[in-house]
Amino acid sequence: MALPVSATILGCEGLALSPAEAAFFRDANPWGFILFARNVDAPDQLRRLTFDLRAALGRDAPVLIDQEGGRVQRLRAPHWREWLPPLDQAQRAGDAAPRSFWLRSRIMAAELRAVGIDANCAPTCDIAGPLTHPFLRNRCLGHDAATVTTNARAVAEGLLAGGVLPVMKHLPGHGRAEADSHHDLPTAQAGLADLEVSDFAPFRALNDLPMGMTAHIRFPALDDAPATQSPRLISLIRHSIGFDGLLMSDDIAMQALSGGIGERSARAIAAGCDLVLHCNGDRAEMAQAVAASGALTAAAQTRANAALARRLPPDPIDIAPLEAEFDALLCGRAHV
């Protein structure tokens, strides 16, 4: 009898999968995996790792990564291209920014698919403001809702054309964060009317995308709980923003959240997240997340199936002309 699929996405420890770790994943049966710099050395090594992760589960599980460009880029030179931070590219490309982001994402997708990665935690649909914390600011795609929406759509379409599922983040909006949620819980002092016309707008415009990630941020005007663990805010994501795709938490181990890993995971699932994301590869913590998250609900399984149905073979394309066009749009300064 097949094991139920766990409502989790898990990280792994290093560059190769040990027998003990493979056995853990086989028993835990997460929906998918996420990779970080600690897991990346060279193309052949990475292809072996993604193959072994899927083999441990006996199915074509999605493998995710954060390949935004700039500081948040797990595949790096000399084997992969280096990319500008998204906000820097948006400013440099000017009116050509949407085309530049489509080209960038289509090229990225080719690099990812070549090593067995088929989901990217991008686009970042948060709006960069004057007080946005530096951990997030230059990862944004613009300073206003309209610009972010246009550039984020281009990122998503470029990834999808390359056979990579986009994961838009951080629902319902993280741009007002003045603290780094890896270490502290940010608080956004804004009312619903302001949030509706700004922070929520890019997510509403892209609510047809297959996957999304929540924000560890608190909106006191709406709820005292961080969005990841707030039934009211998850309901807002589903109904007001209209996102009916597969919804995962941001990394459940980030220090914006309080309590143990099991407690954090249970709260996220109870609030309405479909999946709990755990990133650091700590096996004891992962076991707690798996136990607390339980199996995918029927509704989550339906959304997961719909997301994977959009994981299509890449459109046939010659990458070299796209790279030449991209470099020309960025005035020959695309590499940093």
Side-chain angles (χ1 to χ4, degrees):
M1 180 181 296
L3 292 170
V5 176
S6 167
T8 54
I9 296 171
L10 302 178
C12 60
E13 293 174 1
L15 298 175
L17 196 62
S18 69
E21 197 175 16
F24 170 80
F25 287 138
R26 183 180 62 248
D27 293 340
N29 201 20
W31 182 75
F33 299 99
I34 187 164
L35 301 181
F36 286 83
R38 67 178 182 271
N39 308 122
V40 177
D41 178 41
D44 286 346
Q45 166 269 324
L46 194 48
R47 276 188 286 270
R48 285 194 299 272
L49 179 59
T50 56
F51 177 88
D52 289 345
L53 287 168
R54 292 184 170 106
L57 303 187
R59 57 183 167 84
D60 189 16
V63 177
L64 292 74
I65 201 163
D66 291 292
Q67 189 75 352
E68 298 175 10
R71 179 168 47 85
V72 181
Q73 179 174 337
R74 315 307 184 194
L75 275 58
R76 308 208 76 115
H79 299 294
W80 297 279
R81 288 182 67 116
E82 291 284 334
W83 303 95
L84 288 168
L87 191 60
D88 292 359
Q89 179 173 318
Q91 293 170 336
R92 183 175 297 188
D95 291 344
R99 177 62 178 171
S100 78
F101 278 113
W102 187 93
L103 291 165
R104 166 187 172 123
S105 300
R106 182 63 185 85
I107 297 164
M108 273 188 184
E111 292 186 325
L112 296 176
R113 284 287 297 230
V115 291
I117 297 168
D118 53 14
N120 189 14
C121 296
T124 299
C125 296
D126 308 311
I127 300 170
L131 300 179
T132 304
H133 192 280
F135 99 93
L136 179 64
R137 193 174 191 280
N138 71 355
R139 298 165 56 193
C140 300
L141 290 159
H143 295 94
D144 60 84
T147 301
V148 170
T149 297
T150 300
N151 290 338
R153 176 62 71 181
V155 170
E157 295 298 337
L159 292 172
L160 285 166
V164 172
L165 294 173
V167 182
M168 69 168 173
K169 57 190 186 186
H170 306 83
L171 286 146
H174 212 314
R176 295 178 189 266
E178 298 179 35
D180 181 348
S181 55
H182 294 85
H183 307 292
D184 301 288
L185 177 59
T187 295
Q189 300 292 352
L192 181 60
D194 289 338
L195 294 167
E196 286 280 359
V197 299
S198 58
D199 304 52
F200 299 169
F203 298 100
R204 184 176 292 114
L206 275 73
N207 65 13
D208 58 305
L209 293 185
M211 299 169 67
M213 179 188 293
T214 62
H216 297 336
I217 187 171
R218 191 171 72 95
F219 298 91
L222 303 179
D223 197 348
D224 285 335
T228 297
Q229 298 175 329
S230 167
R232 180 177 180 187
L233 286 165
I234 300 298
S235 178
L236 180 150
I237 289 167
R238 292 300 193 196
H239 299 110
S240 177
I241 290 175
F243 177 69
D244 193 35
L246 188 66
L247 185 64
M248 69 187 70
S249 74
D250 203 345
D251 182 8
I252 208 71
M254 290 164 64
Q255 295 311 303
L257 304 179
S258 61
I261 295 297
E263 182 182 359
R264 298 178 190 188
S265 301
R267 286 177 177 172
I269 294 294
C273 289
D274 294 317
L275 294 163
V276 163
L277 177 67
H278 186 280
C279 296
N280 66 23
D282 182 293
R283 212 171 307 167
E285 288 190 5
M286 290 191 290
Q288 295 174 48
V290 168
S293 301
L296 281 180
T297 66
Q301 186 65 67
T302 297
R303 287 190 279 263
N305 292 344
L308 293 180
R310 296 181 67 180
R311 184 179 57 172
L312 301 173
D315 293 342
I317 202 163
D318 184 354
I319 293 295
L322 301 187
E323 292 179 320
E325 181 185 356
F326 178 81
D327 289 342
L329 284 178
L330 272 290
C331 303
R333 295 174 291 173
H335 297 276
V336 294

